[in-house]
Amino acid sequence: MSTQYNESLAHFSLPVFKPEWVRVVRGIEKESLRVTPAGRLAQTDHPRALGSALTHPYITTDYSEALLELITPTATSIDECLQFLADLHNFALARLPDQEMLWAASMPCLLESEAQIPLARYGSSNLGRLKTLYREGLGHRYGRLMQTIAGIHYNFSMPEGFWPEYRALKGAKESLQEFQTGQYLHLIRNYHRYSWLLVYLFGASPAVCKCFTRGRSHDLEEFDSATLFKPYATCLRMGNLGYKSEAQKSLFVCYNELDNYIECLQEAMSIPYPAYEQLGLMRGQNHLQINTNLLQLENEFYATIRPKRVGDPGQRPLEVLRDQGIQYVEVRLLDLNPFLPLGIDAEQIRFLDAFLLFCLLSESPECHREEYFENERNLAEVVNQGRAEGLLLNFQGREISLQEWGRQLFAQIMHSASLLDGTGQQAHQQSVAAQQAKLLDSTLTPSAQMLQAMRADKLSFSAFGLQQTKIHGDYFSKLAMSPERLQEFTRVSADSLQQQAEAEAADDIDFDEFLQQWNSFTLA
């Protein structure tokens, strides 16, 4: 065995890291706005040729009819995962109307008004109407503009065979489900401590179109006549203009025990919020929101990572977690990299895997309220000025420079990368080294490269976004999809339409009664 590999085992106090444990299970969910050839938000319906957004396993919509979401199945091969995502792009692009394209950036394209943002529609079933009403409520609570921001969600889990053997190594006595759940919470606590590093390395939203800030207070500077920015920002998508709302800033969500997490969110879904009470539930005959509580649903809590488990359609996420425990984690703070056709690549995935494994294997003390908000402040600092020279963060109540903390983290992440590579590979370690170069030179980060490209070519944000969108469109137009994959996607799309029709026919109560039952649900 190599010296590096042995040192890595010792670093995490492991006698062994079996070859089959490196088969990380991953999946990608990628959001992209559909835009016209002029770079404006598409006003067309979700194309029927793509199937039902309610029931299709791979192609759906997020907030808007124009916000497409492409979902890969889980895979242990990075190349297979990315190939499936590329095929989804190819299939979707070929079926978009009016020469529409998929916007390359996370921050939205040209928008004149919120009225131009059509809510996603999921048919006439009660569950479909609930999904649309949830989005109606989000629009009233946070504004529709914020909901047009796109991102990548990365789903990560260790292979099933890892858990019983790791439990034995740790000498744990609890059930396998309890152990696995506890270890994923362990990972999540460390992720919150160190996720600022992901924002620094992969943030790609330092600028926005001026139209995005219309009617909203902000502290951005003028880049040009059409663009606002912050000179050292990394990821404005995760800042006050994006997913950080005043209503949610006061929430302390505890990840020490699964019961703590469930109780925190259950309480937030049960407590009326004055501004939402003032909005009300109805305007005439139209529903405005699911309820007037701080959170309408669990997913309204805009966490940068979520504990997840696959459940049945219509089943409440917290109920599934309580009964069956955590199956995987969903990383939610990744921008689309506008320089990459898929918004993400294999090198980034290898680093994410090494980072998340480091979070799992490292010591993870229980979190408390003071540390929770310290983590939030660190994230905000890196979001807004992560590339500023000499930036200071706080760790356990003491100041530390981003550079110094980053160096400490990279030394440890290299150990988890070594375990993933085993004794004969270098790919994960090379990925970590490539990211470490960004720590030493901030001009290598996507956020800096984006501003550099805009300055060099004298492009506004919207012009830059459209340029990259067209480049990616040309890239996908030259890709070929296997006949078997095309046949699969065509069949699944047709099946999803039939499944939606069956769901609509199966409803036996009206929507108002369904909504009342939904809101009265509590975890026993």
Side-chain angles (χ1 to χ4, degrees), residues 158-294:
M158 294 298 289
E160 194 173 322
F162 166 80
W163 291 110
E165 295 179 284
Y166 188 54
R167 180 180 66 155
L169 285 178
K170 301 286 282 187
K173 302 302 182 184
E174 68 259 56
S175 71
L176 187 60
Q177 177 179 311
E178 290 170 333
F179 176 75
Q180 180 174 320
T181 290
Q183 291 301 304
Y184 276 128
L185 291 171
H186 175 121
L187 181 160
I188 289 170
R189 292 195 299 274
N190 273 338
Y191 173 93
H192 282 297
R193 293 178 177 111
Y194 311 130
S195 60
W196 61 264
L197 182 62
L198 298 183
V199 169
Y200 174 87
L201 296 173
F202 302 116
S205 52
V208 299
C209 180
K210 279 188 177 179
C211 63
F212 184 73
T213 64
R214 188 179 294 112
R216 306 170 69 186
S217 61
H218 63 82
D219 59 353
L220 304 182
E221 300 177 24
E222 188 169 275
F223 180 87
D224 60 25
S225 61
T227 306
L228 297 170
F229 84 128
K230 285 190 173 182
Y232 303 108
T234 58
C235 183
L236 296 177
R237 167 177 167 267
M238 296 306 302
N240 289 336
L241 284 176
Y243 290 116
K244 294 296 179 184
S245 73
E246 290 302 320
Q248 293 192 26
K249 280 183 179 179
S250 62
L251 275 177
F252 166 52
V253 178
C254 180
Y255 296 89
N256 293 334
E257 303 287 345
L258 184 60
D259 287 346
N260 297 149
Y261 174 76
I262 290 173
E263 287 168 11
C264 290
L265 290 192
Q266 184 71 24
E267 184 177 3
M269 291 190 295
S270 306
I271 297 176
Y273 188 69
Y276 305 154
E277 287 186 300
Q278 186 174 359
L279 173 64
L281 292 172
M282 303 284 292
R283 183 175 295 155
Q285 298 299 309
N286 299 319
H287 293 276
L288 297 179
Q289 52 187 338
I290 290 176
N291 53 50
T292 60
N293 300 330
L294 179 57

Side-chain angles (χ1 to χ4, degrees), residues 194-205 232-235 238 333-335 351 378-379 381-391 393 402-403 406-407 410 434-449:
Y194 311 130
S195 60
W196 61 264
L197 182 62
L198 298 183
V199 169
Y200 174 87
L201 296 173
F202 302 116
S205 52
Y232 303 108
T234 58
C235 183
M238 296 306 302
L333 53 55
L334 301 173
D335 282 343
F351 181 84
N378 285 336
L379 190 64
E381 285 293 301
V382 179
V383 159
N384 289 297
Q385 50 182 346
R387 288 179 287 104
E389 187 174 350
L391 179 65
L393 303 177
L402 179 149
Q403 297 292 323
R407 281 193 289 270
F410 270 106
Q435 305 314 314
Q436 190 164 14
K438 298 178 185 176
L439 184 70
L440 302 175
D441 181 0
S442 67
T443 65
L444 299 176
T445 61
S447 55
Q449 290 185 329

Side-chain angles (χ1 to χ4, degrees), residues 364-401:
S364 182
E366 289 195 347
C367 180
H368 49 77
R369 181 180 293 269
E370 184 177 345
E371 185 189 23
Y372 178 89
F373 289 108
E374 179 183 75
N375 295 338
E376 291 289 297
R377 289 191 295 272
N378 285 336
L379 190 64
E381 285 293 301
V382 179
V383 159
N384 289 297
Q385 50 182 346
R387 288 179 287 104
E389 187 174 350
L391 179 65
L392 295 176
L393 303 177
N394 284 275
F395 182 50
Q396 297 178 343
R398 65 180 180 87
E399 283 191 337
I400 183 171
S401 74

Side-chain angles (χ1 to χ4, degrees), residues 2-20:
S2 69
T3 302
Q4 172 68 51
Y5 187 76
N6 284 327
E7 289 177 354
S8 298
L9 286 173
H11 177 79
F12 294 114
S13 301
L14 291 172
V16 65
F17 196 85
K18 294 188 174 182
E20 56 266 30

Side-chain angles (χ1 to χ4, degrees), residues 110-131:
L110 288 168
L111 290 164
E112 273 75 31
S113 71
E114 291 206 342
Q116 289 184 316
I117 305 170
L119 288 182
R121 297 186 296 277
Y122 301 93
S124 60
S125 70
N126 285 331
L127 190 58
R129 291 181 64 185
L130 182 79
K131 289 171 71 73

